């Protein structure tokens, strides 16, 4: 089964909904003009036939001259001439009948069809235009609410900083009183004197490798340590850091007590990540320094409760910021609901106008058939015209015209445009799931794979127990109404752990929600940067390319994507691979699923027309499904790391962290360098350990995707 090009999946544009709709309805407007041209042609032909028929009849009635044929009644030549004139009248009557048949059988149906089509086209375009204008107004309202919210937060921050300065002056006096008292530092379950903690910090600086890191705009930082290296050292050298979780807690204590600071990102959260960078603060070199931790590391809760009494305007400013926050959140939710209704309405209108455009062309085809049929009653001289018209009629194919129109004028596939609510301090993942960057959502869920993906795959896997192999494959290839998918999306799009019993929904809807989640990601799962390298790899003629070399190159390329993307891709392809094992050799399930999901998993950042005919996303997905075991060899999961994931999930509320845009850009820059390196060495093979099973089961038999 080949994926069919339809209006509903061909006239979407990347930055707004108006572009594709304008292209389509301008093309449909051409159809209205074509109807007028056909009607004008038929009318002119009727006029010509009537004039011609009348002239022939008039010609047959011309009287003979008195000194000509009327002079001799019995001449055989006169009788022959009279028959010639009578035949002229018969031919004229035939043409008059032809004109009458054209008016009744061709013109009248065409006029009715033309008027109805013009009304439908205008009504549909006006309705969609009004809806699009309302949606664009709501986008403006959201932007205004966002700017107002940020301004209110800025004002509240400035007032809070003023109060913080007053508070710091009071603390300075207290520090001076305690300057010569014995200082004791407690990290985890271990206490240190001043001399002991200074030696402890000196060892950390000497034994943990440092780096030089460059951040966009901020510049270059020296003596930088990664969260991963710090946590590893603490596990090996601190008595209380027996596990990675305990090492992270001690790292957080170092940050909270003013010894470490996070650079290149907002906040002061400690994470054992290779992309989290830290520097030692002055207090780590001199315990009695008067330098204090930045107020931003304390979070608004502790800061507000401590200094609220020091500034009379602070509470009012914070209240106004909270009110602006609520207004902004409400505006985004309203916009999101409007967008969902707009997409449903657009798809309904696209399907409706596709049917009506097909009906219009079929009506023209029927008119041409009747047009040809009217000539069948004419004498043999016009019979040849009728036969030629029938040949032209057979060559007309309405379905082919629709496909040509889509291929010629399409603007892009359906890619929803999600506008996120972004909290000034917590980012996006706390309040929504769909449209949130995958790494940010996975970090919020404290899982390598976002929960919505694992929930949907687990639900479908459990539901398959009562399904036949053929019905299982229909789950991924059946079209589901967008309104049904949006209903489930709305129930689980609150940023929280999914408590909705999605098992109660039809499996095709669950699969549709997972497909929509992948579509609404701000970057495709295989990343935009991989599009051109994959295209280069698959541009080689298959006959000139060794299969093992190609699969090895694919394996190398996909390891350059972020870990969360890699693991999410692995879980999804693993499910399709297991499903494909039950496919007969004559079944085209793998081809169909690759055509549906290839462009969803891998597409360019700018979806311009010259990408439409690219086949490498489809060929790549085929290779991933068929050769899953050969390609996904780089995911090495141990039982201890699984336990760590479970422990992180249990303490999610205390470990939520915000992801910085600057850090993301740095990560993308590093990933781009790795991608170019893999393309340059496209035939290099890797041999990481093979993983046959990408999920585990707990004591109750529940499946957890890794």
């Amino acid at each position: 089964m080949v994926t069919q090009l339809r209006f509903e999946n061909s006239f979407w544009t990347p930055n707004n909904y108006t572009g594709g709709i304008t292209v389509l309805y301008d093309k449909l407007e051409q159809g209205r003009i074509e109807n007028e041209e056909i009607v004008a042609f038929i009318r002119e032909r009727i006029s010509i036939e009537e004039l011609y028929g009348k002239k022939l009849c008039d010609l047959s009635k011309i009287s003979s001259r008195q000194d000509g044929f009327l002079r001799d009644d019995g001449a055989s030549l006169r009788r022959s001439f009279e028959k010639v004139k009578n035949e002229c009248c018969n031919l004229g009557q035939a043409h008059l009948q032809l004109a009458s048949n054209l008016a009744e059988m061709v013109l009248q149906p065409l006029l009715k069809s033309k008027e109805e089509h013009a009304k439908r086209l205008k009504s549909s375009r006006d309705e969609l235009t009004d809806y699009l204008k309302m949606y664009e107004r709501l986008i403006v309202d959201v932007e205004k609410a966002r700017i107002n919210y940020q301004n209110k937060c800025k004002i509240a921050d400035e007032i809070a900083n003023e109060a913080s300065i007053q508070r710091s002056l009071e603390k300075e006096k207290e520090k001076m009183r305690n300057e010569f008292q014995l200082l004791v530092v407690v990290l985890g379950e271990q206490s240190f004197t001043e001399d002991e903690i200074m030696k402890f910090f000196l060892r950390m600086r000497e034994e943990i490798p440092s780096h030089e890191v460059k951040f966009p705009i901020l510049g270059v930082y020296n003596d930088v340590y990664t969260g991963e290296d710090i946590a590893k050292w603490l596990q090996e050298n601190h008595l209380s850091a027996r596990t990675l979780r305990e090492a992270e807690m001690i790292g957080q204590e170092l940050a909270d007590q003013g010894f470490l600071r996070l650079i290149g990102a907002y906040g002061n959260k400690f994470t054992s990540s290779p992309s989290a960078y830290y520097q030692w603060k002055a207090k780590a070199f001199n315990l009695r320094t008067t330098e204090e931790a930045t107020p931003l590391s304390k979070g608004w809760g502790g800061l507000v409760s401590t200094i609220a009494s020091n500034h009379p305007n602070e509470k009012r400013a914070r209240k106004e910021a909270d009110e602006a926050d609520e207004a902004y959140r409400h505006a985004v939710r309203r916009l999101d609901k409007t967008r969902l209704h707009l997409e449903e309405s657009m798809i309904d209108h696209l399907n409706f106008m596709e049917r009506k455009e097909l009906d219009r062309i079929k009506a023209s085809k029927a008119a041409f058939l009747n047009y040809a049929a009217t000539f069948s009653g004419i004498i043999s001289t016009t019979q040849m015209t009728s036969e030629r018209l029938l040949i032209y009629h057979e060559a007309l194919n309405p379905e082919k015209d629709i496909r040509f129109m889509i291929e010629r004028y399409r603007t892009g596939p359906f890619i929803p445009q999600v506008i996120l609510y972004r909290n000034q301090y917590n980012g996006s993942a706390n309040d929504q799931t769909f449209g949130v960057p995958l790494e940010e959502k996975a970090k919020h869920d404290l899982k390598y794979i976002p929960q919505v993906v694992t929930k949907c795959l687990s639900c479908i896997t459990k539901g398959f127990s009562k399904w036949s192999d053929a019905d299982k494959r229909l789950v991924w290839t059946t079209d589901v109404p967008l309104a049904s998918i949006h209903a489930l999306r709305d129930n689980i799009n609150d940023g929280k752990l999914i408590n909705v019993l999605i098992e109660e929904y039809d499996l095709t809807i669950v699969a549709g929600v997972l497909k929509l989640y992948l579509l609404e990601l701000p970057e495709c799962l295989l990343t935009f940067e991989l599009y051109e390298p994959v295209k280069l790899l698959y541009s080689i003629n298959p006959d000139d390319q060794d299969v093992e070399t190609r699969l090895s190159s694919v394996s190398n390329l996909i390891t350059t994507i972020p870990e969360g993307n890699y693991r999410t891709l692995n879980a999804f392809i693993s499910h399709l691979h297991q499903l494909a094992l039950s496919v007969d050799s004559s079944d085209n399930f793998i081809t169909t699923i690759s055509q549906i999901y290839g462009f969803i998993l891998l597409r360019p950042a700018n979806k311009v027309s010259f990408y439409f005919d690219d086949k490498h996303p489809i060929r790549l997905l085929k290779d991933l499904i068929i050769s899953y075991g050969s390609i996904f060899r780089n995911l090495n999961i141990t039982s201890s790391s699984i336990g760590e994931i479970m422990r992180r999930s249990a303490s999610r509320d205390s470990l939520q962290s915000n992801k910085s845009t600057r850090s993301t850009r740095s990560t993308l820059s590093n990933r781009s360098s790795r991608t170019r390196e893999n393309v340059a060495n496209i035939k290099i093979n890797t041999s990481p350990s093979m993983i046959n099973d990408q999920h585990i089961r707990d004591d109750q038999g529940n499946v957890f995707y890794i």
Side-chain angles (χ1 to χ4, degrees):
M1 182 176 69
V2 179
T3 302
Q4 184 178 5
L5 286 175
R6 301 286 303 276
F7 279 12
E8 69 175 27
N9 60 20
S10 299
F11 291 96
W12 303 84
T13 41
N15 298 321
N16 59 71
Y17 293 102
T18 306
I21 292 297
T22 300
V23 170
L24 173 61
Y25 277 82
D26 285 348
K27 178 60 181 174
L28 294 175
E29 190 71 19
Q30 176 186 330
R32 183 185 63 81
I33 297 173
E34 290 173 355
N35 284 347
E36 294 178 354
E37 286 189 78
I38 294 173
V39 167
F41 171 83
I42 298 299
R43 279 177 168 161
E44 186 64 18
R45 182 59 191 264
I46 291 173
S47 177
I48 292 173
E49 291 295 337
E50 288 177 342
L51 179 62
Y52 184 42
K54 289 178 181 179
K55 288 291 185 180
L56 288 175
C57 290
D58 291 341
L59 181 62
S60 69
K61 297 176 182 178
I62 296 178
S63 299
S64 297
R65 293 173 56 176
Q66 291 292 334
D67 56 348
F69 282 113
L70 292 180
R71 186 174 182 179
D72 185 3
D73 293 335
S76 59
L77 181 57
R78 175 183 175 181
R79 290 193 298 271
S80 296
F81 180 60
E82 292 294 337
K83 289 185 179 294
V84 169
K85 290 199 294 182
N86 289 336
E87 288 297 327
C88 185
C89 182
N90 291 336
L91 182 59
Q93 290 296 332
H95 281 281
L96 289 174
Q97 184 61 46
L98 173 61
S100 176
N101 291 342
L102 287 173
E104 180 179 354
M105 299 172 60
V106 181
L107 182 60
Q108 292 304 320
L110 270 180
L111 286 172
K112 181 180 179 181
S113 174
K114 178 181 76 73
E115 293 171 359
E116 291 176 350
H117 183 74
K119 291 179 181 178
R120 286 193 299 264
L121 179 59
K122 184 178 185 304
S123 175
S124 177
R125 186 165 196 167
D126 289 347
E127 184 176 344
L128 272 185
T129 299
D130 291 342
Y131 218 131
L132 286 167
K133 288 180 179 178
M134 180 179 69
Y135 176 70
E136 290 170 356
R137 287 196 300 269
L138 290 179
I139 291 178
V140 174
D141 292 343
V142 166
E143 183 62 14
K144 290 180 180 178
R146 183 188 66 80
I147 293 174
N148 181 58
Y149 168 54
Q150 291 182 340
N151 290 337
K152 294 294 185 182
C153 289
K154 183 178 180 181
I155 293 172
D157 291 347
E158 291 173 352
I159 294 175
N161 287 336
E162 292 175 3
S164 179
I165 292 173
Q166 296 176 4
R167 176 171 160 269
S168 65
L169 291 175
E170 295 177 0
K171 284 192 173 183
E172 185 66 26
K173 296 178 182 179
E174 181 67 21
K175 287 182 180 180
M176 292 177 66
R177 289 194 296 267
N178 301 327
E179 183 177 0
F180 297 101
Q181 295 180 3
L182 180 63
L183 297 179
V184 177
V185 176
V186 178
L187 296 177
E189 300 174 359
Q190 189 173 357
S191 299
F192 298 86
T193 65
E194 183 176 358
D195 289 340
E196 290 173 343
I197 197 65
M198 289 296 102
K199 292 178 181 179
F200 188 75
F201 289 155
L202 180 60
R203 283 187 58 204
M204 292 184 72
R205 291 194 294 272
E206 290 177 349
E207 296 177 7
I208 300 176
S210 62
H211 308 275
E212 179 181 282
V213 180
K214 182 177 181 181
F215 294 95
I217 300 176
L218 298 179
V220 178
Y221 285 74
N222 296 317
D223 297 325
V224 175
Y225 302 82
T226 68
E228 182 183 51
D229 291 337
I230 293 174
K232 182 179 179 181
W233 191 91
L234 287 172
Q235 279 187 279
E236 296 172 353
N237 296 276
H238 195 284
L239 297 178
S240 301
R242 293 177 292 273
T243 66
L244 179 61
R245 166 69 180 136
E246 292 172 342
E248 285 186 328
M249 293 177 65
I250 293 174
Q252 187 61 54
E253 290 179 356
L254 289 172
D256 292 340
Q257 296 183 36
F259 298 112
L260 280 180
R261 64 177 174 187
L262 176 65
I263 62 173
Y266 180 81
N268 206 28
K269 187 72 175 179
F270 182 87
T271 56
S272 59
S273 170
S275 61
Y277 299 105
Y278 300 86
Q279 275 188 332
W280 292 105
K281 299 183 69 175
K283 191 175 179 181
F285 299 89
N286 182 2
L287 196 61
R288 297 178 182 272
T289 183
T290 58
E291 179 189 57
E292 293 185 5
T294 175
L296 293 179
S297 67
K298 301 178 182 297
W300 271 112
L303 184 61
V304 171
S305 63
T306 304
I307 65 174
S309 60
N310 294 332
H311 202 292
N313 296 327
E314 185 180 358
K315 287 186 178 181
R316 179 165 54 84
R318 180 50 51 194
K319 180 180 179 182
E320 291 177 356
D322 291 341
E323 291 173 352
D325 181 22
E326 183 60 28
Y328 171 37
R329 182 185 289 107
H330 176 75
V332 171
R333 288 176 177 171
R334 181 185 177 194
L335 175 64
D336 195 55
K337 287 184 178 295
T338 302
R339 177 182 65 82
L340 300 183
H341 290 309
L342 171 62
E343 291 174 353
E344 294 169 13
S345 179
M346 287 177 64
I347 287 182
D348 289 341
H349 278 271
L350 292 177
N351 286 332
F352 175 77
M353 290 312 301
E354 181 176 0
R355 293 195 303 271
K356 295 310 173 185
E357 180 66 4
L358 186 63
D359 291 344
R360 182 190 73 83
I361 300 176
K362 287 182 176 179
S364 298
K365 178 178 180 179
F368 294 161
L369 179 61
N370 292 335
Y371 179 80
T374 56
F375 289 90
S376 61
I378 302 295
I379 56 178
S380 58
T381 54
T382 58
Q383 187 63 34
M384 294 177 62
T385 302
S386 176
E387 292 174 354
R388 286 194 297 270
L389 288 172
L390 287 173
I391 294 174
Y392 299 148
H393 166 267
E394 291 298 328
L396 183 57
N397 189 328
E399 288 78 9
K400 185 177 181 180
D401 281 4
I402 289 291
R403 182 176 179 84
F404 168 80
M405 178 175 143
I406 293 175
E407 291 178 343
R408 180 73 178 272
Y409 295 96
R410 58 180 166 163
T411 58
F414 173 50
I415 302 293
Q417 311 293 313
V418 181
I419 297 179
L420 295 175
Y421 160 75
R422 296 186 182 277
N423 185 273
Q424 184 76 3
Y425 310 103
N426 297 323
S428 302
N430 283 345
D431 293 271
Q432 57 243 308
T433 296
F434 288 75
V436 178
L438 188 143
E439 289 186 80
E440 181 179 349
K441 189 60 185 173
K443 190 173 184 180
H444 173 269
D445 290 349
L446 296 176
K447 295 179 182 294
Y448 286 112
I449 304 174
Q451 191 199 21
V452 64
V453 176
T454 58
K455 276 280 188 179
C456 289
L457 289 177
S458 297
C459 173
I460 293 172
T461 301
K462 291 178 182 178
F464 275 174
S465 60
K466 299 180 181 179
W467 289 44
S468 67
D469 290 340
D471 291 338
K472 291 177 185 178
R473 295 191 287 276
L474 290 176
V475 167
W476 294 103
T477 58
T478 301
D479 289 332
V480 180
L482 191 59
S484 300
I485 296 174
H486 280 167
L488 177 53
R489 175 195 185 274
D490 190 54
N491 285 340
I492 61 177
N493 189 32
D494 57 3
K496 307 296 188 300
L497 291 177
I498 299 175
N499 295 320
V500 177
L501 295 177
I502 62 176
E503 291 82 0
E504 296 179 355
Y505 289 81
D506 188 276
L507 293 188
T508 58
I509 296 177
V510 177
V513 164
L514 180 54
K515 177 182 177 182
L516 183 63
Y517 172 77
L518 296 175
L519 274 173
E520 290 191 348
L521 286 174
E523 184 176 20
C524 62
L525 192 60
L526 279 162
T527 73
F528 298 146
E529 295 178 357
L530 225 58
Y531 192 84
E532 291 299 335
V534 172
K535 184 175 183 179
L536 176 63
L537 175 62
Y538 282 94
S539 64
I540 304 174
N541 190 322
D543 296 335
D544 301 331
Q545 187 181 38
D546 180 64
V547 175
E548 292 185 1
T549 301
R550 184 179 76 244
L551 297 180
S552 177
S553 300
V554 170
S555 180
N556 288 341
L557 282 175
I558 64 174
T559 58
T560 65
I561 66 177
E563 185 174 9
N565 294 52
Y566 184 92
R567 292 175 183 268
T568 302
L569 177 69
N570 182 282
F572 182 57
I573 300 301
S574 172
H575 178 92
L576 296 181
H577 174 72
Q578 294 298 323
L579 191 58
L581 292 178
S582 63
V583 177
D584 296 332
S585 59
S586 60
D587 200 320
N588 58 1
F589 167 73
I590 296 178
T591 299
T592 301
I593 206 73
S594 299
Q595 290 173 338
I596 295 174
Y597 289 90
F599 197 73
I600 294 175
L601 298 180
L602 179 65
R603 61 180 183 273
N606 299 315
K607 296 173 279 297
V608 292
S609 59
F610 56 81
Y611 286 112
F612 288 168
D613 295 326
D614 286 349
K615 303 299 182 185
H616 60 279
I618 299 175
R619 294 180 59 194
L620 172 63
L621 185 51
K622 278 187 176 181
D623 278 347
L624 292 176
I625 295 173
I626 296 173
S627 304
Y628 168 80
S630 300
I631 294 174
F632 286 90
R633 300 173 298 176
N634 298 287
L635 186 60
N636 188 8
I637 302 297
T638 66
S639 59
S640 61
S641 62
I642 297 303
E644 182 61 28
I645 295 171
M646 299 298 292
R647 287 192 295 275
R648 291 188 181 191
S649 178
S651 57
R652 180 177 66 87
D653 292 338
S654 64
L655 291 179
Q656 291 178 345
S657 60
N658 301 326
K659 182 173 182 179
S660 167
T661 302
R662 293 189 294 256
S663 178
T664 301
R665 290 176 179 170
S666 176
T667 301
L668 288 176
S669 177
N670 295 335
R671 187 205 314 159
S672 178
S673 299
R674 295 197 305 271
T675 301
R676 289 192 293 270
E677 181 179 349
N678 275 279
V679 174
N681 301 280
I682 200 110
K683 292 187 177 181
I684 297 178
N685 292 322
T686 59
S687 58
S689 59
M690 182 75 71
I691 299 297
N692 295 322
D693 191 3
Q694 303 300 331
H695 61 270
I696 63 169
R697 296 181 182 272
D698 61 11
D699 295 339
Q700 289 73 38
N702 297 317
V703 176
F704 293 92
Y705 286 88
I706 307 306

